Amino acid sequence: MMTYWTTPRQLIVFLLVTTSCIVVAALQTQANTCSRRTFFLTPAVGAVAIGLGGSQPAVAAEKPNGPNLEFATSASGLQWADAKLGTGPEPKKGSTVSADYVMSTTGARYGSKIYGTAESGAPYRWVLGDNASTIQGLNEAVMGGNGIPAMQPGGIRRVFIPQNLAYASLGQKSSGSSGCDKGVGPVPPIPEAFEEFQRFKNIYCNPNRAYQPDIVMDIKLYGKRTAD
């Protein structure tokens, strides 16, 4: 039976969906060693040129040893890979550090990116090692430990942060979603990124959600500012 499209928009949607299905089918015929992280990284690695405000979770920088980042896993369960190595002194626990980041999720239904600091025009600043104010996974990613080397200024690192090193405390019923912006950070700021905050809250501050998907963070570390 022949199908007639009532509007050009319906035809365009049909063509887009059909094309997507063909691409997915082609991908499934590739080597069976591909993982969800391989596909997740694909858009980022090709573009490696830091656009922390882009629509993909792509911090980009210089290609490391080939087309894909090679991830290692720390003793705590955090997975990490360097897209660009920095230079200079490593930050120490207790020092104030600043970094730009792109935050994404592995469990979103409508796109992966949640928020990037470029959207508010200011990097994230915190006291390194303070797990009461900043998630342990970000502290570990920058400070090092559990088999991870510390970052250096100018370096760019991608990390997959599991629930126990991220926002598990925000999802507890004792906290509730109403205190999401007052708990551990970083969290998309209100009102500068209200829509992004709502998306973050629905995933990571939901007491009815037993499982939180991994957080993906692309981190660019800055060096200590000096007086002019």
Side-chain angles (χ1 to χ4, degrees):
M1 180 176 61
M2 185 175 295
T3 302
Y4 294 93
W5 305 103
T6 58
T7 66
R9 183 176 180 180
Q10 288 179 342
L11 177 58
I12 291 171
V13 171
F14 171 78
L15 292 173
L16 288 173
V17 172
T18 303
T19 302
S20 299
C21 292
I22 293 172
V23 171
V24 170
L27 288 172
Q28 289 176 341
T29 62
Q30 293 179 353
N32 57 9
T33 56
C34 292
S35 67
R36 65 185 177 93
R37 287 177 170 78
T38 303
F39 288 112
F40 189 79
L41 282 168
T42 299
V45 176
V48 235
I50 193 164
L52 281 165
S55 60
Q56 298 290 347
V59 169
E62 300 168 358
K63 288 185 179 179
N65 304 327
N68 291 320
L69 297 177
E70 296 293 331
F71 284 87
T73 303
S74 74
S76 64
L78 183 144
Q79 297 191 35
W80 63 277
D82 285 320
K84 178 182 178 182
L85 295 177
T87 58
E90 299 172 352
K92 303 300 181 182
K93 183 176 182 179
S95 63
T96 299
V97 293
S98 62
D100 271 322
Y101 68 81
V102 172
M103 177 190 294
S104 305
T105 178
T106 59
R109 183 177 299 176
Y110 304 109
S112 58
K113 182 183 173 184
I114 296 177
Y115 172 75
T117 50
E119 295 162 24
S120 63
Y124 179 66
R125 292 173 60 85
W126 79 102
V127 176
L128 190 61
D130 180 8
N131 292 332
S133 66
T134 298
I135 58 173
Q136 181 180 341
L138 179 54
N139 278 313
E140 185 174 306
V142 173
M143 186 171 57
N146 287 314
I148 304 177
M151 292 185 69
Q152 294 173 282
I156 298 173
R157 176 171 289 177
R158 171 167 291 186
V159 292
F160 285 80
I161 306 175
Q163 176 177 349
N164 63 305
L165 301 179
Y167 298 101
S169 62
L170 295 183
Q172 295 174 357
K173 292 185 177 181
S174 57
S175 298
S177 59
S178 60
C180 188
D181 61 330
K182 299 178 178 62
V184 67
V187 170
I190 303 173
E192 297 90 340
F194 181 76
E195 291 184 4
E196 290 84 353
F197 171 77
Q198 291 297 320
R199 187 161 188 242
F200 173 87
K201 183 180 76 171
N202 290 338
I203 300 173
Y204 293 100
C205 298
N206 188 347
N208 297 318
R209 186 168 187 164
Y211 166 76
Q212 292 182 356
D214 290 355
I215 280 283
V216 187
M217 294 192 78
D218 291 334
I219 307 159
K220 180 177 180 179
L221 180 67
Y222 294 109
K224 184 177 180 180
R225 294 182 179 179
T226 57
D228 294 332

